[in-house]
Amino acid sequence: MSEALALTLDSDFAAWWAWRRDAHPFTVTRIPFAELEEWAFDPATGNLGHRSGRFFTVCGLRAGADVRPILHQPEIGVLGVLTKRFGGVTHCLLQAKMEPGNVNTVQLSPTVQATRSNYTRVHNGSSVRYLEYFQGRGRVLVDTLQSEHGAWFHQKRNRNLVVEVDEDVPPHDDFRWVPLAEVGTLLGVPNLVNMDARTVLACLLARHAPEPGTALLSWFTDAKARHDRAVDLVGLDSVPGWRRTGTELRHPHGGTILAAAVSAPTREATAWTQPLLAPPAPGVVAFLGRTRAGRTELLVRARPEIGCRDAVELGPTVQSATGADEPLLALTLALAGEPARVWYDTVLSEEGGRLWHAESRYLVVDAGDAVVDAGPDFRWAGLGELAGLLRHSYYLNVQARSLLAVMLAGGRRA
Amino acid sequence: MSEALALTLDSDFAAWWAWRRDAHPFTVTRIPFAELEEWAFDPATGNLGHRSGRFFTVCGLRAGADVRPILHQPEIGVLGVLTKRFGGVTHCLLQAKMEPGNVNTVQLSPTVQATRSNYTRVHNGSSVRYLEYFQGRGRVLVDTLQSEHGAWFHQKRNRNLVVEVDEDVPPHDDFRWVPLAEVGTLLGVPNLVNMDARTVLACLLARHAPEPGTALLSWFTDAKARHDRAVDLVGLDSVPGWRRTGTELRHPHGGTILAAAVSAPTREATAWTQPLLAPPAPGVVAFLGRTRAGRTELLVRARPEIGCRDAVELGPTVQSATGADEPLLALTLALAGEPARVWYDTVLSEEGGRLWHAESRYLVVDAGDAVVDAGPDFRWAGLGELAGLLRHSYYLNVQARSLLAVMLAGGRRA
């Protein structure tokens, strides 16, 4: 990654990044479940949870015959990006932050990235740096609840906040003012900008977008009506198909639950153990795009995911968490073989606080006239119109928001 | 009511209304639970449900120490209003429709008002009249999911649809084309326009409203973060405080569950039995308003209700389902004693399909400078800005939408 950085970013940023990456003497070690501190399997349900009842719980979710493991974290986290104009140019205060599940441990993260458990100090850590700016001290540019992965989390959402200040804010060593105009370049570097930063930046970049049209909203409502189904939380013991050893719970479709010990002097808590969910394979996340009358359009898919708060959100054209087949995946990968069609192609990480080594290949590929009729769950929509949905909650899923950040930032890397 | 109609509406409408009201030889009779057909108490949970698993279930809902009875109906109903221009003037096709829980049995209703169970014909009724226009045959003007009462329903929502057609649509005897401009007058008649019509008409009247500002959205998001709490469905047997007889289940705060036999030749099914929820007392629903620089503002309250899909929706200033005390109720009623302040004051019904004789006094009262600081859950917002929220789901609760319909239709009756 440092080579890619050296190629694409100014040497000043690259030097800071290397300095911070090497400054953190953290270690992440896989451990047996028996060595988890404060976490335990509930004998009545089989659920794996924290003694305090906070953080998250690994449990089951049932929708008809579909019963699978899920992470349940009924808390609203704060993802906050602080902005300030220097010489009229908007800059974002971003953070070199470690997460135990990251493949490369440190990624570029929002100014504040805190679960409610973090910022109310359930695990006795130090207070969250810069949090006060998101509690009334700046001008609010963005403030909306947005979802996390509906395949892995039950109705999880975070508060996406962007605040602008005029006052002097000295950056701590782990923080750096990054010009908003450079976000596109940063997004071209594999596994650099973390998922939480991507979703907040998408909302920021979209904030002047026009109101979406009635036709798009109506199609979305219709998809909810078609896909709506009742969902119940159940005990992890009720989920069939697990194979459990002392170090992992492996599910044929749902990935693997494992445990890790973390030592990280620069995090709010300096050492802890926790479970993590490892997806079964790297994912593929892709928008097919096209240009019509000078307008960029993307093929969105109304995607029912078991953890959606309201049945359906809009996802990218392709979203294969495991690389498994799904409609338009083969076409997308075939088109991506033609370099002139590739608007974006970079490996990015999903969030590393509860997911272990979760990487996906993110693509935007020019489909031209290659897609004729993909069915009722697919729709071509203008980039600006999709951006307008970001002012409101639960329209666009987190994978779609990542790729919208790429498109709105003008970041294309083939 | 016919006197009020004669005073406020043209005699043609009044004559039609009297004709239809008297044309329906329906009867609604309270019966013991033992005489319910197809409905039964589940011995394992105490829940009262339908044999098919459809329609709704009376069960319990728990949020911490707060455990109460709730109606659970995990289905998206369709509330559709058909519109057409006659001589350039928008008219709505409204229906004289009976509901078993209505105090006056027949109210003015949307063109289509159907649960999924209705329109998929679970109870073997005849097909739903005009449904085809909402399944692709007209131009969609409004199409959004909106909530029902969060105090009585668990995450219930309906699809609010308005469709415009050019073709000739002959009205059946129970249907009438009503000019949209007359809706304000109709809303001044007690218990005439039903709740489902009010919510759809609010969305229609609001459809050209501007996008709401970031400050309002941010305050709403903050209220969700403050009030968020975990909620679980539980068996009705887990709800403390019930007193059960052969004819009713009475709860000190949650109202009374009763059973009724209905004979209604003009409904989709001609005879059936069902349970209903009777609120403990008539409600009071009121906005305090004021005028600032020529702009009408309303004092909204971010209101956490146990059945909200996402913690909080915006309600009117006062919303006392039982007439019980709450902030600003006494002030509102005192101000309503000054006729010059009263913009609207009419008794309206909540929906009569599952609620029994649920009436509320709906008010909009000019507060002038009478409210100084009502606390963080209250906020003055422009009428236009609130209207702009109606393009999207779950911002405004059903009581607020009723009063927005009144304000947007220009209906004021003191």
Side-chain angles (χ1 to χ4, degrees):
Chain A
M1 186 175 63
S2 54
E3 271 179 60
L5 273 173
L7 285 172
T8 56
L9 297 170
D10 64 87
S11 58
D12 199 32
F13 180 95
W16 169 74
W17 186 254
W19 173 46
R20 296 325 299 163
R21 189 194 53 206
D22 299 338
H24 292 278
F26 45 73
T27 56
V28 181
T29 318
R30 286 190 56 177
I31 56 174
F33 290 126
E35 291 178 22
L36 281 171
E37 300 153 14
E38 308 291 326
W39 293 82
F41 290 97
D42 181 331
T45 59
N47 292 347
L48 177 56
H50 193 260
R51 189 182 302 262
S52 66
R54 304 291 288 277
F55 300 105
F56 61 92
T57 303
V58 187
C59 55
L61 198 59
R62 179 180 57 205
D66 182 3
V67 188
R68 61 173 76 183
I70 200 103
L71 305 186
H72 183 36
Q73 184 170 12
E75 290 191 330
I76 297 176
V78 171
L79 309 179
V81 168
L82 193 63
T83 69
K84 185 180 169 178
R85 290 175 202 231
F86 294 92
V89 176
T90 296
H91 285 61
C92 301
L93 189 64
L94 299 180
Q95 177 185 184
K97 183 178 175 71
M98 77 79 63
E99 293 284 0
N102 286 345
V103 286
N104 51 355
T105 321
V106 173
Q107 296 194 7
L108 198 59
S109 307
T111 319
V112 163
Q113 179 182 317
T115 63
R116 190 169 179 85
S117 301
N118 284 146
Y119 66 76
T120 56
R121 308 177 68 173
V122 173
H123 59 173
N124 303 311
S126 55
S127 66
V128 176
R129 216 178 282 275
Y130 302 115
L131 185 61
E132 66 274 18
Y133 292 100
F134 301 92
Q135 295 173 324
R137 220 168 127 181
R139 278 186 302 282
V140 174
L141 305 185
V142 168
D143 188 359
T144 182
L145 298 178
Q146 299 290 356
S147 62
E148 278 195 38
H149 303 82
W152 296 328
F153 295 94
H154 176 56
Q155 300 190 347
K156 174 98 181 78
R157 75 276 208 230
N158 294 305
R159 188 170 178 180
N160 285 231
L161 262 166
V162 180
V163 163
E164 188 179 51
V165 292
D166 301 319
E167 64 191 281
D168 208 32
V169 180
H172 173 272
D173 286 350
D174 282 332
F175 293 77
R176 186 177 172 89
W177 288 109
V178 175
L180 183 58
E182 278 186 23
V183 163
T185 305
L186 298 172
L187 284 165
V189 181
N191 292 321
L192 177 60
V193 181
N194 86 347
M195 186 195 81
D196 290 338
R198 298 194 302 266
T199 171
V200 181
L201 290 170
C203 295
L204 174 59
L205 290 162
R207 76 189 188 96
H208 296 299
E211 178 71 341
T214 300
L216 180 64
L217 298 179
S218 177
W219 167 77
F220 181 60
T221 302
D222 188 67
K224 288 192 180 190
R226 274 186 286 116
H227 288 292
D228 188 41
R229 57 181 180 168
V231 171
D232 298 302
L233 281 171
V234 297
L236 195 56
D237 281 346
S238 306
V239 181
W242 285 104
R243 282 200 329 205
R244 179 168 163 180
T245 69
T247 54
E248 62 181 38
L249 265 164
R250 185 180 291 272
H251 190 267
H253 310 300
T256 301
I257 305 295
L258 50 85
V262 185
S263 169
T266 56
R267 277 288 296 251
E268 292 84 8
T270 56
W272 70 92
T273 63
Q274 70 167 86
L276 289 147
L277 170 62
V284 176
V285 176
F287 265 123
L288 288 177
R290 68 181 187 187
T291 308
R292 283 290 179 275
R295 185 175 91 139
T296 300
E297 296 183 342
L298 300 173
L299 187 62
V300 287
R301 179 173 179 183
R303 185 174 285 272
E305 295 187 275
I306 196 167
C308 279
R309 185 161 285 267
D310 195 24
V312 164
E313 294 191 18
L314 301 186
T317 319
V318 169
Q319 178 186 310
S320 170
T322 62
D325 197 24
E326 64 164 52
L328 299 179
L329 173 62
L331 174 66
T332 300
L333 295 179
L335 293 172
E338 303 174 36
R341 291 184 180 272
V342 179
W343 292 348
Y344 181 78
D345 185 0
T346 302
V347 171
L348 299 173
S349 294
E350 310 306 327
E351 71 92 25
R354 288 143 301 172
L355 302 179
W356 174 262
H357 293 192
E359 293 180 291
S360 303
R361 180 182 176 191
Y362 278 79
L363 296 139
V364 186
V365 180
D366 187 351
D369 298 316
V371 179
V372 180
D373 178 16
D377 285 337
F378 291 86
R379 184 182 176 92
W380 288 102
L383 175 60
E385 190 171 41
L386 293 174
L389 295 172
L390 285 170
R391 285 173 64 82
H392 305 282
S393 301
Y394 315 139
Y395 279 110
L396 288 157
N397 76 6
V398 65
Q399 291 94 336
R401 296 198 304 278
S402 277
L403 284 175
L404 282 183
V406 167
M407 294 300 290
L408 294 168
R412 295 181 175 189
R413 181 164 187 276
Chain B
M1 186 175 61
S2 55
E3 273 179 58
L5 273 173
L7 286 172
T8 56
L9 296 171
D10 66 88
S11 58
D12 198 34
F13 180 94
W16 169 74
W17 186 255
W19 173 48
R20 296 325 298 164
R21 189 193 53 205
D22 299 338
H24 292 279
F26 46 72
T27 56
V28 181
T29 317
R30 286 191 55 177
I31 57 174
F33 290 125
E35 292 179 19
L36 282 170
E37 299 154 13
E38 307 291 326
W39 293 82
F41 290 96
D42 181 331
T45 59
N47 292 346
L48 178 55
H50 192 261
R51 189 183 302 264
S52 66
R54 304 292 286 278
F55 300 105
F56 61 92
T57 302
V58 187
C59 55
L61 198 59
R62 179 179 58 205
D66 182 4
V67 188
R68 61 174 73 183
I70 201 102
L71 304 187
H72 183 37
Q73 185 170 13
E75 291 190 330
I76 297 176
V78 171
L79 309 178
V81 168
L82 194 63
T83 70
K84 184 179 170 179
R85 291 176 202 229
F86 294 92
V89 177
T90 297
H91 285 61
C92 301
L93 189 63
L94 299 180
Q95 178 185 184
K97 183 178 174 72
M98 76 80 61
E99 292 285 0
N102 285 348
V103 286
N104 51 356
T105 322
V106 173
Q107 296 195 5
L108 198 58
S109 308
T111 320
V112 164
Q113 179 182 317
T115 62
R116 191 169 179 84
S117 301
N118 284 146
Y119 65 77
T120 57
R121 308 177 69 174
V122 173
H123 59 173
N124 302 311
S126 56
S127 66
V128 176
R129 217 178 280 276
Y130 302 116
L131 186 61
E132 66 274 19
Y133 292 100
F134 301 92
Q135 295 174 325
R137 221 168 127 180
R139 281 186 300 282
V140 174
L141 305 185
V142 168
D143 188 359
T144 181
L145 298 178
Q146 299 291 355
S147 62
E148 278 196 39
H149 304 81
W152 296 328
F153 295 95
H154 177 56
Q155 302 189 347
K156 173 98 180 80
R157 73 279 207 230
N158 293 304
R159 188 170 179 181
N160 285 230
L161 262 167
V162 180
V163 163
E164 189 178 50
V165 291
D166 301 317
E167 64 191 282
D168 207 32
V169 181
H172 173 272
D173 286 350
D174 282 332
F175 293 77
R176 186 177 173 88
W177 288 109
V178 175
L180 183 58
E182 277 185 24
V183 163
T185 305
L186 297 172
L187 285 165
V189 180
N191 292 321
L192 176 61
V193 182
N194 86 347
M195 186 194 82
D196 291 338
R198 298 194 302 268
T199 172
V200 181
L201 290 169
C203 295
L204 174 59
L205 291 161
R207 78 189 185 95
H208 296 299
E211 178 72 340
T214 300
L216 179 65
L217 298 179
S218 177
W219 167 77
F220 181 61
T221 302
D222 188 67
K224 288 192 180 190
R226 275 187 284 117
H227 289 291
D228 188 40
R229 58 182 178 167
V231 171
D232 298 302
L233 281 171
V234 296
L236 195 57
D237 281 346
S238 306
V239 181
W242 285 104
R243 282 199 329 203
R244 178 168 164 180
T245 69
T247 54
E248 62 181 39
L249 265 164
R250 184 181 292 272
H251 189 267
H253 310 299
T256 300
I257 305 296
L258 50 85
V262 184
S263 170
T266 57
R267 278 286 298 249
E268 292 84 7
T270 56
W272 70 92
T273 62
Q274 69 166 87
L276 290 147
L277 168 63
V284 177
V285 176
F287 265 125
L288 289 177
R290 69 181 187 187
T291 308
R292 284 287 178 279
R295 185 176 92 139
T296 300
E297 296 184 342
L298 299 173
L299 187 61
V300 288
R301 178 173 178 183
R303 185 174 284 272
E305 296 187 274
I306 195 167
C308 280
R309 185 162 285 268
D310 194 24
V312 164
E313 294 190 18
L314 300 186
T317 318
V318 168
Q319 178 186 310
S320 169
T322 62
D325 197 25
E326 65 163 51
L328 298 178
L329 174 62
L331 174 67
T332 299
L333 295 179
L335 293 172
E338 304 174 35
R341 290 184 181 274
V342 179
W343 291 348
Y344 181 77
D345 185 0
T346 302
V347 171
L348 298 174
S349 293
E350 309 307 327
E351 71 93 24
R354 287 143 301 171
L355 301 179
W356 174 263
H357 293 191
E359 294 180 290
S360 304
R361 180 181 175 191
Y362 278 79
L363 297 138
V364 186
V365 179
D366 187 351
D369 297 318
V371 179
V372 180
D373 178 14
D377 285 337
F378 291 86
R379 184 181 175 92
W380 289 103
L383 175 60
E385 190 171 41
L386 293 174
L389 295 172
L390 285 170
R391 285 173 65 81
H392 304 283
S393 301
Y394 316 139
Y395 278 110
L396 288 156
N397 76 5
V398 64
Q399 291 93 336
R401 297 199 303 278
S402 276
L403 285 174
L404 283 184
V406 168
M407 295 299 291
L408 294 168
R412 295 181 175 188
R413 183 166 186 273

